[in-house]
Amino acid sequence: MYLSILKKDLKRKKTMNCILLLFVILSVMFAASSVNNIITIATGLDSYFEKAGLTDLFYIVSYDEQGGCELYDKVIENDKVSDVRKEECIFITSDCFKRDGKKLYDFTSTAFVLSVDNTKINFFDKENEIIKSVEKGKVYITNSLAKKAELTVGDRISFEMDGTKKELEFAGILKDAFLGSDMMQNYRFLINNEDYKEILENESIYSKSRGAVLYVSSEQPEEVLNDTADTPNIRFSCDKQMVKTSDIMALIIAAVVLVVSFCLILISFVVLKFTIGFTIAEEFREIGVMKAIGLKNSSIRALYLVKYFGISIVGAVIGFILSLPFSKALISSVSADMVLENDGKLITGLLSTAAVVMIIMLFSHRSTAKIKKLSPIDAVRNGQTGERFGKRGIMSLSKSRLGTHPFMAANDVLSSPKQYGIITLVFMLCTLLVMILSATATTLMSEDTVELLAVTKTDVYISDTVRELDIIYGKKTAKEQKEEIEKELKENGMEAKVSIELWYKIPADVNGEKFQITMLQNVDADMEDYVYTQGYAPRNEHEIALTGILAKKMGLELGDKVRLTVNGKEDEYLLTALYQSFNNLGESGRFYKTLNIPDNSTSSAFAFQADFKDDIDREELERRIDRISELFECKVFDASGFVNDCTGVSQTLGDVKNFLLILSMLIIILISVLMERSFISKEKNEIALLKAMGFKSRDVMITHTLRFMITGIIAVAAAAALCVPLTHLSMDPIFAIMGTDASIKYTLDKLEIFAVIPLMIISATLAGVFFTALYTKTIKAQDTANLE
């Protein structure tokens, strides 16, 4: 009997059961994939670092004029250090590697050429095998750069630097555990040892462009950093935790998918609740008859639970199978840069699948409790247990100025706040996810976010790494470079004031505790033009500003003094302001603009900033950006482009947002079809009565479509209202990992948030409902007398 009833039910409710099956499949697929990916990334990073041989501390240093490495000698003698590995390299800029006479790719940071025989960590190829040798005349390149340059194995490129030229063949990509993430943006070129030696035969390269990466093992990394704080020529230093944090985008994407999975499971519960509720309401006669012939509540509930268990099992199996390639696709962009392995992937996926099935069954058991309230008399009374004396709606037709269709639709929605409220909540959740990602991606591409890079807002940013390295290596001063750029711009009809933000590694002392901190200075900027979260801008040479994170790390508050060693002279500096910045993951400071610091102390530099002296519109600005890019053969950005280049995450978030928008529209269409099909089934008698009164099928379809339109409008309006506070709630912690310590101002694309996304969501809703409402044409006026 059970099998007969189940077979009949599955055949009679094909649409509902198929949609429910789809949601189970999606829930399992997303849940298994996201849990697997989070575990893979969270645990895989440590495994990857171990396989690569990463240590506790990392330094990038320039060799001095004598070709020595003072830091190496100092660290190796430190009793807190257990091991030091020195990996020699050559510092290069984007114009050193070319293809067909043009730059291979115009990257905006320093890159490194190194010999495979001198590597001190393991680099991996595309197949996750350690690169142990490189053939003479060939080169392996960091994956992210190879991808941007659209390189394929066998492509010919040339190395050109200070008169030395060497032809090389692209042998494949390399995965770099230390500098391989998009946030680091420091690319490596791995070549044969003979090729490396031939390059160093150039005296200019040997004496001015050599450096090293030091890998330091220590159980007290912070103390070692403090002990080396006063060592010159340190270009960059960090611990393993900072390297791990640079891979945050991989975790963000996995976390977003996990949130989507959670929402899908919630939506599946809503779908299940509606399905069970409508099924029980529709089958009151069958349930009443079964009770009349002696079946107990538990037996009747078991009948429904077997059905939903069968749907859950089928959906879980399909969802689990689909989760394997889906998980691989989601993590492909991350695994392309890292060696990520998860030996327990199948077990984790199976456990996630079992958990989803178990939760669905528990929810199903709870939802079928309504069966207890039905009795055999319900079959006789047409599903009613007594007379209803209260009015059905809260609106009055006589007092309403709405037309017939809007009135009926609005009255239906207001008369059933619970069921339409749940539908509204589901639509709102789908819309909110897309809006939050839209706000985040837009913020990371906004010109206002340039404040979080601790630079002033200017017309253009000229990322000329060749000129920047000339300053660092003392070939030319910053003043000379700025004057040359100003002169060339003026000769081409673009008179501008040029400045540059220089970085310095400065030893600091706070009550005997030593630090080495990154300090910034732009001698041409007004200190008031920077944005501070607390305090006031430095007003003289002995006042400084620090990020809140760095001040906290050093134990400083506004008004405290810190001893800094500048130009070999130690002096006290007053902390007058706090700010927040993504630079160095939130750890940096700023000198007053007139403090004299020699250019040879520079450890790094931002792009040259140019403010035009004439007023120009957006079209002219874009024209000038293209023109300057041609003049200097480098990348040139406006403020928003500069932010995007520095963070390197907005494009990824934009892709995830578009994926979620498509997924949300699919979910909304499925929900709309299911709900509308359920409403038609439940309201069959009412629809027949309307037709008997003279209403046409078109009138019924319009009314049903308007009901969901009202629901959709309420949902997108609520989502738009909650977008900013929920974006702060969900994204502020992520930005805090990147370096902020206070809430940031989010930039909204008003057209997208308040027009494009709502219109697409409402359109998906109306499409799903309208085409499902066509089924009402099959209901005739005479169906009012049909008890079946």
Side-chain angles (χ1 to χ4, degrees), residues 59-126:
Y59 295 92
I60 297 176
V61 295
S62 302
Y63 278 177
D64 57 31
E65 293 180 358
Q66 287 73 40
C69 183
E70 182 179 336
L71 177 66
Y72 177 77
D73 297 332
K74 191 169 187 177
V75 170
I76 204 169
E77 295 173 359
N78 193 309
D79 57 5
K80 304 182 186 72
V81 173
S82 58
D83 182 50
V84 185
R85 286 174 265 161
K86 183 170 71 171
E87 184 178 80
E88 292 190 7
C89 61
I90 300 170
F91 293 157
I92 64 167
T93 56
S94 61
D95 64 338
C96 291
F97 274 95
K98 297 182 179 181
R99 178 172 52 183
D100 299 328
K102 297 180 180 179
K103 285 184 183 180
L104 175 65
Y105 184 79
D106 195 8
F107 50 85
T108 57
S109 53
T110 304
F112 313 105
V113 173
L114 62 156
S115 163
V116 68
D117 291 351
N118 190 44
T119 57
K120 302 306 178 183
I121 63 171
N122 293 325
F123 297 99
F124 301 86
D125 62 16
K126 185 179 180 180

Side-chain angles (χ1 to χ4, degrees), residues 255-268:
V256 167
V257 176
L258 185 63
V259 171
V260 173
S261 307
F262 180 70
C263 291
L264 275 173
I265 294 171
L266 286 180
I267 292 169
S268 297

